[in-house]
Structures are given as C-alpha cells and as structure tokens.
Amino acid sequence: MPTQLVSQSTPRSVQTVFGLCARLALPGTVLVALLAELALAERKFAIFGGGFGQSQTLDTAGEIAAFLIVLLVCQAAIFYGAFRLVRRLHGARADTPLFYFNFVFLGLLVWVGALVAKYQALAYFSDAMSFQIVRNLGGGSLLDALLFSMSEAGLIFLSAGGALLVYVLACRLLVRRWSSLPPAPDRTRRTARQLGLLILIAPLLLFSANRIDDTRSALARFNAIFLWSAPLQQITDFDRDGWSLFSHPIDLQPFDPARHPYALDIPGNGIDEDGFGGDLVFQEPPEIATPAIGGARPHVILIVLESARADAIGHRIDGRSITPVIDGLVARGSSAPAAYSHVGFTTFSLKSLFSGRLDPAPGAPSLVDDFLANRYEVGVFSAQAEDFGDIAAVTGMRRGRYFVDANTQREERAFSFAAEGSLYIDGRIVLREFREQLGDPAQWDTPHFLYFNFQSAHFPYFAPGTDRIVEDDPIPRGEISAANRAWLQRTYWNAIAYNDRLVGELIAELERLGVYENSLIVITADHGESLFDDGFLGHGHMLSAEQTQIPFILSAPDIPLGNPIGLADMRPIVLRAAGADIVPPTPQRVFQYLGTLDRPGKIGSVDAEGRWTVFDLNREAVRTGDGPWRRYAELANGSAERRSADRLIDRWASERWLGAIQRRERRAER
C-alpha cells in the first residue's frame, strides 16, 4: 500500500502521538535510565546525602553541576550510538513504531539488567529466605524447599521470561494496530552531528571532572563513565604500565613504564619509581622472634571490641560511666595514653595486632604461634566471621584447639544477611560457647591464650539480643542521619555499655573457674568510629582521633607502655606482660593509611601529642597538624615540612617493600 494512502487512512491524532513519541524516544530513554541508576547509586553509596562509610559526597553546587553535566553527556553519547546502530539494523523498518519500541524496550532492558548485575539487587532475596527456610529442608513443606532452592539465577530467568513475554505481546500489538503509520522523519544528518559533538566533548569533560575529587568519586559509580573511561585509559596508557591520562592519579611519566603512581619503590637502584621522596633507603626492621614465657605463665585473654573508640571508655551518660567493668581494669592495671589503629578496617587491623606487622603474609609469625610454642592452649571465640578477609589464615587462628565464630554459629546470626562480611552473632552466644567448651576448672591446668571478639558496637549499633542499658529506644537503621546525631550516639554508647557488660560476664566466668587471679586481660579495638561528631559516619575514611584512636588496657599494673602505640606494637607488649623476656619497641610516631597499603588514598603518622602529618596521594598535598594543605611539589627542599613529608613517604615505601619481601619468602618456602 503506498505511503500516501496509508497516511490518509491513519487518524491525524495517531500520527501526532507517534511523532511525539518518536521525538521523545531517545531523550526519554536516556533520562529514565539515568534516573534509575541515580536512585540506585544514591541508595547504595549516598553520593548526595552521605552515610555510613561515605567520606566523599556531592555537597557543593559546583561539584553537583560538574557531575550532572558529565554524566548526562557521557550517557547521552552512548545512547545516541546505540540509537544509530539499532536504526541501521532495522533497515527498511527504520523510523517505524517497531524500531522505536525496540530501541526503548531493549535499551532499557539491557541497561537495567546491567544495573541489577552490578548492584546484586537480587542477593537480598536469597539471604532473607535462607535464614529460616534452611531449617525446613529436611522435613519441612515442599513449597518452602522449592523457595529455598530457587537461586538468584532462577529469579533472573523468571524475570527475563516475563520481559520476553511482554515484548512479544507488545510487538504483536504494534504490528496489528500501528503498522499503517508512515515512518517518522529521518534526521540522520542532525543526529550524526549531535553524536559527533558528544563524542568530541565527552572525553574533555571527563578529563576535567576527574580533577575534582568528589565529582570523580561519584562518577566512578556509573556504567556510562566506566564505558567511556575504560577505552580512554587504554588509549592514553602509552607505556602500557596500567596508568594513563584518564587514570587516577594521572601518570606523570606516560612514556616510562618503570615510573607511575603507586609503583613499588625499589631501594638502592637510583630510581624514584613512585615519584615521591627520592630513591628508597631501606632498613629492614628486626623480626619478632618467638620468646620463651617464664614465671607464672598467666592465662592471656585478648578482647577486641569492634569499632570502640578510645573516648568510649569511661564515657559518662546521665552522670554515670557506661563502662564500669573496664574502668575497674584501668584503675587496677595499665592503660596506654594514646593507642591507634593503622587503618580503619577490621581485617588489616587484626592481622597487625596478631603479627606485629602492617602487611603480614599468610603464615607469618603471630601471637598464636607465640603461645603455641610456649605450650599454651589456644582458642578463638568471636562474634564475627574470622575467615572474612583471610584473617584466620594469616594469623593462624585455626591452629588452636578451640574455634568458634559467626560462621560456625551461622544459624544463630542476628541478621539475615549471609555474606561473611555481614555475619554477626550476639556476644552472649560467644560466652555460651566458651562456657560449654571450657567450663570445667580441670581444663585450666594448662595456661590458655584466648581471643574474644565482641561486635556490639558495629554499625547499625544495635542488634537483637543487645541489652538496653543507655538507650531504651535504639535508633532504627532507616532513621540514621546527621539530623539524628544525638539519638545515634546514645545508641552507640548503649552498644559500648553492652560490651562492658559482656566483659563483666566473662570475668565472672573466669572467677568461677578460679583462674581470674592468674589471668592477664588485654582489651583493645580494631578501629574507632565517627558518629557525625566530625561530619562523618563510620570508619576507614579519615585519619582522625574519632576513627583511629582506640583503647589499649592490660589488667596487670605497671606495664611499660610507650606513647603513642599502634596495633602492630602490641604483640611484643602482650608477650612481655605475660612473662617473656622481650623489649618492646618505643615508636615515636604511629604510621597510618586509608585504603590498602599498596594503593592508599592517604598516608599519615600521629605523634604523642595527637598531631598528624598527612600526605594525600590523590592531591599530592601535605598537611601538618591543623595547618593548610600544601602541594608536595611546592615544598622547599630541606624545609622542615619537606623532611617530614619525605620521612612519611619513606615509611610507607619501606612497609610496602617489607611486605613484598615477606610474601616472596613465603612463596619460596612453599
């Protein structure tokens, strides 16, 4: 049928609607896809509002404008390209209703599918089901068993099948009702010019936005930015060392593969591989040999309180201390005036505590080896999953006789989440397992080294089973925000008070067993916690007293404690307090880092007065105390600031080189 006749037989209102839909198909698809991804990113990462563990947020008009412009341009360019490709594939049916429907439907389906895969949106379903239904698989209902066995892949296939059915039905409707419509006007030249302009300006905008820290961090969450950045990084990585003009930081030596950001500085070769501090002069620290423990050989009880900041001990609410039990240990024993974690992550912190190193290799000597070599019984009683992040493997925790953690008690976890990093069991379950396995006084003729981990103060600071000591009405997770800071803090102090109560119950059990008087109690934490008191929530994204200063308490009096002390300094101190003939080091500063040791965002050191020197590797800037940030390249050679920065950089490079040596030695031993 000729096009002119078709046009005459089609109501003008239908043609008008189709023309409008055709004009809106491309921008509408871009907008819907963008809004969907923005909503998911905000929910998961709080890029605008901020939230737990989120230190970089879009909180200025300039940052938000740069973010939205770059994201919109990059996403529009990708969808423009897809639009032209789909149009070409339709051939004679280009610009028909079928073409526009296919582009919108399939484009959004692919984009949303990528988002589901990226954010693992279906993971919550299997987690929520498995907690109760697993108990019914042996003899429960068939329906429950089928629901439990339905994997995330099954749910994806069902969703895909439903989408396919909708697609087929919609296509049939289009062919039946709208096939007589004439094609929409072809704007090939105009669209080609628009696409060419977007392809030209998108890399320039992305390069500029990468210079704005918070904007770059937010953009990195989005698929369109990844699709642009990946090829641009490959194209501009001229020396093929993995760094380019679009990496962060930028490769300032783009044609020298031996020099790039975060390159391992090899000592003594005359080359400054990472571009900071000159060639490394490395002095290997002495190995901490396992010493003999003499004398009375006390039982050693090491207690780690998750996310417990130093000022939580002795904190007063309504005129009363929230930690009366621990206060008593402080009064009778020894307490470090200033102790710090090296990094705000549990996995790295526990490895440092046990090994005495910042970056120990699996199998490196640890407190477990020390006490086993001295014929101690070793046990682990932890409210978290100690296999998470290879903690148990690196520290040798499973070499002891007793091992209880959130994985072994998985069915009693407080929350339905089953991922290792989210497993949590109540502290009283830990104490129950301790009593069941070591509740007979006859078992204590041999000295014991026991590690306890209590998780009560972990975000969201309240879980089923937690006693309500300070706060009768703990803040719900959905209400946590800076506006509810006071309520949040009382919930956190309640968690600390509950931990103190658990410590008291543990001491009471040791007294019942008749072993408390011959026990050394050691209490510390993996890191601190910001509670919006410094503008942040969580840990691991600031070098500050709130996030890194921790308690370090020993029940024995007159234990020599340096100032400051890092987690890696505690191993020899504990051994000496237990009776070993060992002289702990006396560090002048505690080294810290954000991220991983190989690729930190910042490195820093804190002195006995609590004053930080911080080097921001992303900005290549240095700050001492409360002073201003200054570009490293602008520091005068020989100046006090330059010497301080170079000492910090050398410490970082030395720790990385030491870690590389130890990993190489462990591989050679295997």
Side-chain angles (χ1 to χ4, degrees):
M1 184 181 294
T3 300
Q4 188 174 4
L5 295 178
V6 173
S7 177
Q8 293 173 354
S9 65
T10 304
R12 183 170 298 277
S13 61
V14 175
Q15 295 183 42
T16 302
V17 170
F18 171 54
L20 180 63
C21 291
R23 285 192 293 272
L24 294 178
L26 181 55
T29 304
V30 171
L31 185 60
V32 170
L34 185 60
L35 290 176
E37 193 167 6
L38 276 170
L40 281 173
E42 175 62 17
R43 180 175 177 82
K44 186 172 180 65
F45 300 112
I47 57 177
F48 292 103
F52 179 80
Q54 182 66 13
S55 62
Q56 293 184 299
T57 59
L58 298 170
D59 51 9
T60 68
E63 291 173 350
I64 294 173
F67 164 77
L68 292 176
I69 290 171
V70 174
L71 182 58
L72 183 60
V73 168
C74 288
Q75 186 139 321
I78 291 171
F79 274 84
Y80 262 125
F83 181 87
R84 302 306 303 169
L85 176 62
V86 173
R87 185 179 183 279
R88 182 176 293 274
L89 292 175
H90 276 73
R93 294 196 176 203
D95 303 318
T96 65
L98 181 64
F99 154 67
Y100 285 103
F101 174 75
N102 282 340
F103 168 73
V104 173
F105 188 90
L106 296 177
L108 289 177
L109 186 66
V110 169
W111 201 257
V112 171
L115 293 179
V116 168
K118 177 179 178 180
Y119 287 94
Q120 298 178 339
L122 298 180
Y124 294 102
F125 294 116
S126 63
D127 241 337
M129 286 190 292
S130 64
F131 184 54
Q132 294 297 335
I133 299 175
V134 68
R135 305 185 185 199
N136 300 328
L137 286 178
S141 70
L142 177 62
L143 176 61
D144 281 351
L146 287 174
L147 286 173
F148 174 69
S149 60
M150 184 182 293
S151 65
E152 293 174 17
L155 291 172
I156 291 173
F157 286 133
L158 285 176
S159 301
L164 180 61
L165 178 62
V166 171
Y167 174 74
V168 171
L169 293 175
C171 283
R172 292 187 63 181
L173 181 64
L174 280 173
V175 171
R176 183 181 304 169
R177 298 285 182 89
W178 292 54
S179 59
S180 60
L181 282 172
D186 178 16
R187 300 181 175 88
T188 301
R189 291 185 178 179
R190 180 181 175 185
T191 303
R193 287 196 300 270
Q194 292 171 335
L195 178 60
L197 179 62
L198 288 174
I199 291 175
L200 179 64
I201 67 174
L204 300 176
L205 290 174
L206 187 57
F207 181 85
S208 300
N210 281 343
R211 313 280 76 77
I212 307 173
D213 290 339
D214 290 349
T215 301
R216 179 192 65 254
S217 176
L219 286 171
R221 311 290 190 185
F222 290 81
N223 290 344
I225 304 303
F226 170 78
L227 292 174
W228 272 101
S229 297
L232 287 172
Q233 288 192 33
Q234 290 297 317
I235 292 169
T236 59
D237 182 12
F238 306 114
D239 52 14
R240 317 315 297 170
D241 60 4
W243 298 86
S244 69
L245 298 181
F246 283 87
S247 64
H248 186 75
I250 285 178
D251 189 353
L252 297 178
Q253 302 290 336
F255 300 103
D256 185 350
R259 301 175 65 187
H260 56 79
Y262 297 108
L264 184 64
D265 204 345
I266 301 172
N269 65 351
I271 301 174
D272 182 12
E273 282 85 357
D274 60 7
F276 300 113
D279 187 26
L280 173 63
V281 178
F282 177 71
Q283 293 183 341
E284 185 169 358
E287 183 67 51
I288 305 174
T290 295
I293 297 176
R297 296 210 304 159
H299 307 291
V300 178
I301 313 297
L302 172 61
I303 303 171
V304 173
L305 306 178
E306 167 71 32
S307 302
R309 37 197 274 177
D311 62 357
I313 308 304
H315 186 82
R316 304 185 76 82
I317 296 287
D318 302 328
R320 294 185 300 173
S321 172
I322 63 173
T323 56
V325 175
I326 299 177
D327 292 348
L329 293 175
V330 172
R332 297 186 299 271
S334 306
S335 178
Y340 298 90
S341 60
H342 302 285
V343 62
F345 295 109
T346 300
T347 52
F348 300 136
S349 292
L350 291 179
K351 292 172 187 177
S352 293
L353 169 63
F354 275 78
S355 69
R357 297 294 189 210
L358 264 64
D359 185 24
S366 75
L367 284 170
V368 172
D369 301 288
D370 297 330
F371 286 104
L372 285 174
N374 281 279
R375 303 185 306 283
Y376 272 65
E377 293 282 9
V378 173
V380 169
F381 297 91
S382 174
Q384 70 174 7
E386 294 294 347
D387 288 324
F388 178 63
D390 294 328
I391 299 171
V394 172
T395 61
M397 288 181 181
R398 290 187 179 273
R399 291 200 287 271
R401 183 171 180 178
Y402 309 98
F403 188 90
V404 174
D405 75 343
N407 246 329
T408 65
Q409 310 302 123
R410 176 180 288 254
E411 291 190 8
E412 296 186 275
R413 63 189 186 272
F415 304 109
S416 62
F417 306 117
E420 274 194 342
S422 299
L423 287 177
Y424 165 95
I425 60 174
D426 183 67
R428 288 208 170 96
I429 297 174
V430 172
L431 295 178
R432 181 200 69 200
E433 292 299 309
F434 167 62
R435 286 191 295 269
E436 289 182 0
Q437 299 200 36
L438 279 167
D440 184 354
Q443 297 173 278
W444 290 80
D445 292 339
T446 301
H448 287 67
F449 168 65
L450 303 179
Y451 157 61
F452 287 83
N453 184 296
F454 295 129
Q455 289 282 301
S456 309
H458 194 286
F459 181 87
Y461 318 122
F462 188 84
T466 303
D467 291 351
R468 304 187 182 203
I469 305 169
V470 170
E471 184 57 65
D472 291 333
D473 189 16
I475 187 170
R477 186 165 185 160
E479 297 289 333
I480 293 177
S481 67
N484 291 328
R485 183 178 71 180
W487 189 8
L488 169 78
Q489 290 176 354
R490 286 184 67 92
T491 303
Y492 173 81
W493 301 131
N494 185 83
I496 295 294
Y498 181 55
N499 273 341
D500 185 76
R501 183 169 289 181
L502 294 175
V503 172
E505 292 178 12
L506 174 58
I507 290 175
E509 182 63 17
L510 295 174
E511 290 174 336
R512 185 191 69 81
L513 292 167
V515 298
Y516 176 68
E517 294 301 325
N518 189 36
S519 294
L520 171 68
I521 311 295
V522 181
I523 297 178
T524 189
D526 50 354
H527 48 71
E529 190 83 348
S530 284
L531 302 169
F532 290 123
D533 38 10
D534 58 356
F536 298 96
L537 176 65
H539 51 264
H541 46 260
M542 287 288 289
L543 298 181
S544 64
E546 291 81 5
Q547 294 189 30
T548 68
Q549 191 167 358
I550 56 177
F552 182 48
I553 301 158
L554 299 94
S555 60
D558 304 322
I559 302 295
L561 298 175
N563 184 26
I565 293 174
L567 277 168
D569 304 315
M570 294 179 187
R571 178 185 168 198
I573 294 173
V574 171
L575 291 172
R576 180 180 177 85
D581 185 13
I582 183 173
V583 179
T586 55
Q588 301 300 311
R589 307 180 71 89
V590 173
F591 176 79
Q592 298 179 319
Y593 60 98
L594 296 179
T596 64
L597 192 60
D598 277 335
R599 291 193 59 178
K602 294 178 182 177
I603 57 176
S605 61
V606 57
D607 62 20
E609 285 73 38
R611 183 174 55 248
W612 269 270
T613 298
V614 179
F615 180 38
D616 187 327
L617 282 90
N618 293 325
R619 295 190 290 169
E620 299 180 6
V622 182
R623 183 181 186 182
T624 301
D626 296 327
W629 287 99
R630 297 190 59 189
R631 296 278 297 175
Y632 176 81
E634 297 172 357
L635 300 179
N637 288 327
S639 66
E641 283 186 309
R642 180 61 178 261
R643 289 197 303 270
S644 179
D646 285 344
R647 282 196 300 269
L648 177 58
I649 292 166
D650 282 349
R651 174 67 189 276
W652 171 54
S654 294
E655 291 290 349
R656 293 183 68 204
W657 183 248
L658 177 62
I661 291 174
Q662 291 177 335
R663 287 190 291 272
R664 185 167 60 243
E665 290 175 347
R666 298 301 169 191
R667 285 195 297 268
E669 291 174 0
R670 292 196 296 267

